[in-house]
Amino acid sequence: MVNSGGRLSAEGRKDQLEQMASKQLDVLVIGGGITGAGILWDAGLRGMSAGLVEKSDFASGTSSRSTKLIHGGLRYLARGEIGLVREVGSERMLLHERLPHLVEPLPVLLPIYRGGKYGFLSTSLGIALYDRLAGVKPEDRRRMYRRGETLMMEPLLRPEGLLGAGVYMEYRTDDARLTIEIIKSAARNGAHVCHYAEVTDLLYRNGRAAGVRVRDRLSGDTYALYARKIVNAAGPWADQIRRLDQSSEPGRLLLSKGVHLVVARERLPIGKAVYFDAPDRRMVFAIPRGNKTYIGTTETIYEGDAGEPSATVRDAEYLLDAVNRVFPAVRLQLSDIESAWAGVRPLIREPGKALSDISRKDEIFVSPSGLISIAGGKLTGFRKMAAKVVDLIARQLEDETGVIYPPCTTDRSPISGGPPFEPSRGASEQRSGAGTGEQDDGGDARDSFMRQAVRRGIAQEEAAGLWTRYGWNAHEILQYFDDLGTDNGGRRDDDRAGKRLLLAELGYSMDREMTVRVADFLSRRTGWMIFDRERAELVSGDVIAYMSRRLGWDDARVEREWSELLRERRSYTVQD
Ligand SMILES: Cc1cc2nc3c(=O)[nH]c(=O)nc-3n(C[C@H](O)[C@H](O)[C@H](O)COP(=O)(O)OP(=O)(O)OC[C@H]3O[C@@H](n4cnc5c(N)ncnc54)[C@H](O)[C@@H]3O)c2cc1C
């Protein structure tokens, strides 16, 4: 087994908190989204003792509610943010190489209409420039198509006014799984983590932020955790943490909400992802994913609780209207929506600018108490953001303690779930390997895994799903599957193999990914609550039964899990 994550077991939560409480850490991170996860991973790799607390499940904030793209930054190009295009381009190559099962190429078609935002020539030149800046591999570079070819590729596109299309490359991911794999990578290097652990207060020594008070939301116990450096990576809640820190002036952040809708692929049967103009000239994606297509996003100022954003009928109507104008034959309706999600993005206020014009750049604020806050940014740039924060911490610790920490090595370190990786080969060397086709893109490893799974009676589709979710760690799940034994006398029994596989995945998830609630598994470990609601409903009884047996839940707790599951289900539904 390669690159398996550290042991983050459901039963080990309390131990993680107690270990954090038993010593002074170098770094304590508030927030288990991608930003906090990246900082934890980087700090641990540099030899700092590091811990992270998350008030809900890992990635339950914005990091499971994005468009799920590792962007190349075409949009930044339109705003002239050349440096950002270069940076995200190289980051996305690196993530694809390190996690080929989870960061996959996704060709995107950009239809060009008469009177649209961009013409044929500007699209062609724009994508060509983007390809160069973002370091896109020659075989993935832009292709331009005339009207007839475009309609052959995507016959559902509105033909009136269509001039042609450009196709460029994006990368699709699963944001929650990416975050969890980074947390597992950090834990494997010795970092401590605990979820459902909410920071309720900051603790001070001589006026300096020196620790946090944490409430374990599952047991009700409280802990005081101390660290030389406290990092606020609470995403849309960052201002709330800054408010706890009396010394800092909150209000630097503006929250913007984005909504996505999921429909059956057969209701919007597109061959490629399509990125098109909405009537208000904002750009909207329609992205195929398995047997679903998802559509997003809206962008509106959000003033509610960052923990409860929801997709409203108004949001849904905006997106349906945009889709129906570009694909008039599909006539999507509210009743076609199978699920939806809403995410809140913290943006750094830029007075006088329209929401869509505000830069997605990240920014670090250091308050007079020493609290370090990081906000803004993208999933795609998480590693670079983390490096900036940890560089700052390393400089501060060197001044204060004299200890010198090495530079960032996350570009040379394996990630849980990814292929075997030789840290001695530099990142750029590995990248140039990828460019020449020498790098293992996971195809052979996937084929071998599929053969092993199918030999055990696991359906092809199930095996493929496991590989997409867990990559090289999926072999461990086969081990769990074997350990659950076979009693079908060598006969093929899809139902029994299906249930055994479910329990194998759940067992792995509880041992290695700290799954402690049913919704953790159905929403963020597997994604079924969003992309396969029928299955989520079908298996929820088995999942609750297994978890309650293993974790010793009483009837009241089982009841709470059911209502929590219903609440979670509602949150992924369009609300009136
Ligand atoms: C609609 C939308 C689409 C997007 N699409 C993309 C995309 O396709 N590609 C891309 O690269 N980026 C995208 N982004 C941006 C990206 O999703 C975010 O930049 C990223 O997820 C932010 O991660 P984060 O860790 O900073 O915040 P979060 O993921 O929100 O994490 C913050 C965490 O802090 C925790 N927390 C809060 N308060 C406390 C407390 N008191 N104690 C303990 N924990 C606490 C929260 O529970 C939360 O889990 C999108 C954003 C939005 C809104």
Side-chain angles (χ1 to χ4, degrees):
M1 248 131 283
V2 276
N3 286 352
S4 57
R7 272 212 157 263
L8 288 180
S9 74
E11 289 86 350
R13 280 185 70 253
K14 191 173 165 65
D15 191 44
Q16 294 274 342
L17 277 172
E18 282 173 355
Q19 287 197 39
M20 283 191 260
S22 69
K23 57 189 165 199
Q24 185 191 32
L25 297 164
D26 290 322
V27 185
L28 181 76
V29 182
I30 307 171
I34 192 67
T35 308
I39 294 167
L40 186 77
W41 181 42
D42 189 328
L45 282 170
R46 297 198 210 192
M48 298 174 189
S49 59
L52 178 148
V53 284
E54 160 56 51
K55 78 179 167 78
S56 303
D57 186 20
F58 303 126
S60 56
T62 313
S63 299
S64 57
R65 295 158 179 280
S66 75
T67 307
K68 306 182 194 297
L69 293 177
I70 297 298
H71 278 303
L74 189 58
R75 207 178 148 169
Y76 304 142
L77 185 62
R79 282 203 297 259
E81 296 178 285
I82 304 285
L84 217 48
V85 182
R86 278 214 174 89
E87 184 175 303
V88 294
S90 75
E91 282 307 291
R92 130 185 136 155
M93 286 297 284
L94 192 140
L95 284 174
H96 169 58
E97 285 162 19
R98 230 36 73 73
L99 295 169
H101 63 290
L102 193 57
V103 179
E104 306 169 290
L106 174 78
V108 178
L109 185 132
L110 211 63
I112 303 160
Y113 282 97
R114 191 168 299 115
K117 199 164 175 178
Y118 302 107
F120 198 88
L121 190 63
S122 57
T123 303
S124 176
L125 292 175
I127 306 180
L129 179 60
Y130 158 86
D131 282 345
R132 296 222 164 268
L133 291 172
V136 175
K137 291 189 241 168
E139 64 271 29
D140 288 345
R141 291 200 180 145
R142 71 111 165 73
R143 300 234 156 84
M144 296 303 294
Y145 297 92
R146 292 289 169 190
R147 183 176 189 279
E149 298 167 307
T150 306
L151 285 171
M152 263 167 44
M153 272 189 298
E154 292 298 345
L156 291 170
L157 279 172
R158 173 168 51 85
E160 295 84 33
L162 183 70
L163 300 175
V167 172
Y168 75 103
M169 199 57 88
E170 288 280 13
Y171 282 69
R172 181 177 41 197
T173 192
D174 177 328
D175 44 9
R177 286 227 52 89
L178 176 64
T179 305
I180 288 163
E181 297 298 3
I182 298 299
I183 288 177
K184 285 161 72 180
S185 307
R188 192 181 43 203
N189 296 322
H192 301 296
V193 297
C194 191
H195 55 7
Y196 297 101
E198 178 170 13
V199 169
T200 55
D201 278 306
L202 296 182
L203 305 172
Y204 296 84
R205 278 187 187 139
N206 305 322
R208 306 288 294 166
V212 299
R213 191 173 313 283
V214 165
R215 188 174 67 91
D216 178 350
R217 292 175 65 188
L218 299 185
S219 68
D221 296 342
T222 59
Y223 296 82
L225 312 181
Y226 287 93
R228 289 190 173 83
K229 299 291 154 194
I230 311 290
V231 180
N232 168 12
W237 294 265
D239 266 354
Q240 283 186 21
I241 299 292
R242 281 155 61 77
R243 243 171 251 132
L244 291 179
D245 180 40
Q246 309 288 339
S247 65
S248 57
E249 183 203 332
R252 296 281 302 270
L253 299 182
L254 178 70
L255 300 185
S256 132
K257 184 182 87 167
V259 163
H260 294 82
L261 310 176
V262 179
V263 299
R265 179 88 174 259
E266 68 218 23
R267 287 296 291 118
L268 186 51
I270 44 178
K272 285 188 169 44
V274 182
Y275 192 33
F276 55 94
D277 282 349
D280 59 2
R281 293 171 89 84
R282 285 190 57 260
M283 299 289 289
V284 170
F285 276 108
I287 301 177
R289 188 177 189 112
N291 57 4
K292 310 287 173 201
T293 302
Y294 67 99
I295 306 151
T297 171
T298 58
E299 189 163 51
T300 48
I301 290 184
Y302 183 71
E303 279 166 350
D305 181 329
E308 303 287 336
S310 57
T312 63
V313 171
R314 199 160 162 212
D315 297 322
E317 283 173 347
Y318 168 90
L319 290 174
L320 294 182
D321 177 48
V323 171
N324 287 336
R325 281 171 193 252
V326 177
F327 303 101
V330 302
R331 295 194 187 151
L332 282 183
Q333 299 178 5
L334 285 170
S335 56
D336 289 310
I337 300 170
E338 296 189 356
S339 61
W341 72 90
V344 186
R345 187 198 301 272
L347 297 173
I348 316 295
R349 272 182 202 276
E350 292 185 46
K353 275 201 177 172
L355 206 51
S356 55
D357 291 335
I358 296 180
S359 167
R360 270 57 177 154
K361 274 187 196 150
D362 52 282
E363 199 165 316
I364 298 172
F365 314 97
V366 183
S367 77
S369 71
L371 174 72
I372 299 168
S373 299
I374 168 111
K378 307 274 292 173
L379 199 68
T380 309
F382 84 90
R383 208 189 54 78
K384 283 273 166 87
M385 279 167 72
K388 270 198 272 180
V389 172
V390 184
D391 282 350
L392 170 70
I393 292 173
R395 280 197 302 276
Q396 291 185 348
L397 287 177
E398 187 182 335
D399 287 348
E400 291 163 23
T401 65
V403 178
I404 298 176
Y405 291 96
C408 171
T409 56
T410 50
D411 63 340
R412 271 158 278 152
S413 304
I415 302 178
S416 165
F421 175 79
E422 298 162 44
S424 55
R425 280 177 77 206
S428 56
E429 200 185 325
Q430 304 239 355
R431 266 204 298 290
S432 65
T436 56
E438 290 163 16
Q439 177 86 14
D440 173 19
D441 66 358
D444 292 346
R446 181 183 184 276
D447 291 348
S448 152
F449 171 79
M450 294 290 291
R451 279 195 299 276
Q452 294 177 46
V454 169
R455 220 180 291 135
R456 287 165 165 85
I458 297 170
Q460 286 268 356
E461 205 186 318
E462 296 299 322
L466 275 187
W467 183 260
T468 306
R469 289 195 285 285
Y470 302 95
W472 278 252
N473 287 340
H475 288 281
E476 279 194 68
I477 297 176
L478 289 190
Q479 192 66 55
Y480 276 76
F481 183 85
D482 291 345
D483 292 347
L484 285 167
T486 175
D487 55 4
N488 59 357
R491 278 173 288 113
R492 191 185 166 91
D493 181 338
D494 287 345
D495 279 354
R496 205 165 276 173
K499 168 110 181 256
R500 201 165 127 205
L501 188 62
L502 170 73
L503 299 188
E505 185 169 353
L506 180 57
Y508 171 86
S509 179
M510 291 179 73
D511 285 341
R512 297 302 179 115
E513 304 193 334
M514 234 186 218
T515 292
V516 292
R517 308 202 71 158
V518 180
D520 300 346
F521 183 67
L522 296 180
S523 294
R524 287 160 295 276
R525 306 300 182 279
T526 61
W528 294 337
M529 187 75 94
I530 303 173
F531 290 110
D532 194 350
R533 194 161 260 206
E534 206 178 310
R535 178 195 291 230
E537 278 161 21
L538 208 67
V539 303
S540 49
D542 284 335
V543 174
I544 290 195
Y546 179 91
M547 291 186 74
S548 69
R549 250 195 330 274
R550 181 162 154 184
L551 298 176
W553 290 346
D554 58 16
D555 289 351
R557 175 69 200 271
V558 169
E559 201 56 41
R560 274 210 311 281
E561 282 300 315
W562 277 115
S563 45
E564 173 61 22
L565 202 55
L566 283 178
R567 196 200 59 74
E568 183 101 355
R569 186 185 188 285
R570 253 194 322 275
S571 77
Y572 291 115
T573 309
V574 174
Q575 322 256 315
D576 289 334

